[in-house]
Amino acid sequence: MNYLELAHDFEVGERQRKAVCRRMGVHESISYDEVPNPAMDALKGALRSGQLRADEISIRSIFEATVTDRMGKRCGREMVNSWRDTKDGRVTGHRIYESGVRSAAFANLIGQVFYTRMMEEFNKPELIGMSLVELIPSTHQWEKFAGMTMLGDHAQEVKEGHDYPTVSLAEDWVMSPETKKYGFIVPITREAIFFDTTGMVLRRAGEAAMILAVNREKRILDTCLGIVNSYRRKNRPVIDTYGSAAGDHDFDNLVASNALSDYESLVAVHDKFQAMTDPQDGEPIVLGKTQLVCPKSLEWKAKAILNATEVRETSGDRETIVQGNRLPRDYEIRSNEYVQSRTGSPSSWFYGDFQGAFAYVENWAPEAVEAPTGSHLEMTRDIAVQFKISERGVMAVKEPRKVVKSTS
């Protein structure tokens, strides 16, 4: 990457940006997201598209190319040099908080680097949680999944000239738990810029993002696997996601002694679905896209069962019958090391319409936000800029009758 070219393009882009701000009647200090610098926009686009990797960025070179004085002249290199040329009896190097020094562009651009690094962690294929849930953006602390219960007659034939029958409706709903916020702050210090420790800073950002991503993965799996129970219909008490029909648990979605061994294991699960009905209208449970979730120790067994070309059955007189595999091939198998870690069982497995059963209520998606420049932390801790990595959401159980748990 040619940073001299970037510095020139950034300077030209700043002149264009100021002209746009004048036409809009706003001050040039307005956010770079609202009025972008074309050079910065192109660089951020390259990061988002993957044409440029975050670890190919030099923090020091970006600082030197984008930090300007009040007249718009680049002064980043002079600032870094002043940090080096500090001697006894001489005034110490320039500080970012000093009047006239503008580092908002640097913070905005490095913010995209942080966001790119963060999303690399959240989008790792070994994290399966988000593929098991319906993502529901929300502006509320609690989300209400509303439905209607049929109290009267269902659709009936209407004779010529006769009145249509009236169907009564009663409100039904499921409440989600309260959303919660999770996050970290990652600082970039004067030393990180001076020594150009880009790799160290990105590792720190990656570690923070990984912790946040794994935290969300565990919270999702804990609900999907029945470790944490939050299903609360109407104003009734919370009941277990999985269980046999007993007490407040008025449905049976738990199959005991059903090890994942052959296609009969899946038949036993489907029998459970056939025995359950929708609590709102008494109709059978209708499944959407189905997934099989299992620990790593069962992943190859699950693939062998679903992808087998033939099935062998033994009748009562010990006659072996060979026929084609009747199982659909569109089942999705989801597995990672956290499944067994959360359940503590190498043999329990789960099957059903997970996205129909569970939702992740999200107030805001994972984000990397830069702190305002000129903070007192630059004086007290030599922190040039810092970023907050955060997300807010909660897992909710919409309809547990759409999933079944099997134990060995």
Side-chain angles (χ1 to χ4, degrees), residues 79-303:
M79 286 185 66
V80 173
N81 288 338
S82 73
W83 295 341
R84 178 189 300 112
D85 298 332
T86 55
K87 300 178 181 178
D88 293 339
R90 181 181 295 181
V91 177
T92 56
H94 294 295
R95 302 283 181 164
I96 289 178
Y97 66 80
E98 288 181 351
S99 60
V101 177
R102 298 172 181 173
S103 60
F106 168 74
N108 186 270
L109 185 53
I110 295 301
Q112 181 62 54
V113 175
F114 267 62
Y115 179 78
T116 302
R117 182 68 186 89
M118 177 186 70
M119 294 313 297
E120 288 175 1
E121 294 295 332
F122 274 88
N123 293 329
K124 282 185 174 180
E126 55 265 33
L127 300 181
I128 64 174
M130 291 304 292
S131 68
L132 302 177
V133 299
E134 178 189 6
L135 179 62
I136 299 181
S138 174
T139 57
H140 307 289
Q141 287 179 281
W142 294 270
E143 192 66 32
K144 186 176 184 180
F145 305 104
M148 304 302 291
T149 299
M150 307 285 288
L151 298 181
D153 295 329
H154 289 253
Q156 301 175 10
E157 179 186 359
V158 181
K159 300 293 185 181
E160 182 179 354
H162 287 224
D163 293 335
Y164 283 85
T166 300
V167 176
S168 304
L169 298 177
E171 189 177 8
D172 194 4
W173 69 88
V174 173
M175 290 297 298
S176 79
E178 181 182 4
T179 60
K180 294 182 180 180
K181 179 172 60 178
Y182 305 85
F184 300 91
I185 288 178
V186 180
I188 294 183
T189 61
R190 171 181 171 180
E191 287 84 356
I193 297 172
F194 183 82
F195 296 113
D196 197 14
T197 55
T198 304
M200 181 192 71
V201 171
L202 290 179
R203 280 196 301 273
R204 187 181 303 166
E207 289 166 0
M210 180 187 66
I211 292 171
L212 198 59
V214 169
N215 175 273
R216 185 177 70 173
E217 178 80 356
K218 291 178 179 179
R219 288 186 284 115
I220 292 174
L221 290 180
D222 281 354
T223 297
C224 290
L225 306 180
I227 312 302
V228 173
N229 300 296
S230 62
Y231 179 59
R232 185 184 180 193
R233 184 166 170 250
K234 293 188 175 179
N235 292 322
R236 300 170 186 171
V238 173
I239 66 172
D240 292 347
T241 304
Y242 302 99
S244 300
D248 292 333
H249 204 281
D250 57 357
F251 57 93
D252 183 3
N253 63 346
L254 179 63
V255 189
S257 302
N258 186 38
L260 185 60
S261 56
D262 53 32
Y263 88 102
E264 292 287 355
S265 306
L266 288 167
V267 171
V269 167
H270 278 276
D271 288 343
K272 285 292 183 182
F273 286 121
Q274 293 299 314
M276 289 186 288
T277 56
D278 191 305
Q280 296 185 23
D281 53 24
E283 296 293 335
I285 300 296
V286 178
L287 303 179
K289 182 180 70 174
T290 55
Q291 295 168 305
L292 191 155
V293 179
C294 62
K296 275 292 184 179
S297 57
L298 293 179
E299 183 179 12
W300 293 110
K301 171 67 76 173
K303 289 180 178 179

Side-chain angles (χ1 to χ4, degrees), residues 7 43 48 51 58 75 87 93 107 110 114 118 126 184 191 198 247 292 295 323 329 352 370 373 396 403:
L43 188 58
R48 285 192 295 268
Q51 292 177 309
S58 163
C75 64
K87 300 178 181 178
I110 295 301
F114 267 62
M118 177 186 70
E126 55 265 33
F184 300 91
E191 287 84 356
T198 304
L292 191 155
Q323 52 188 325
R329 299 296 181 89
E370 68 266 20
T373 55
V403 284

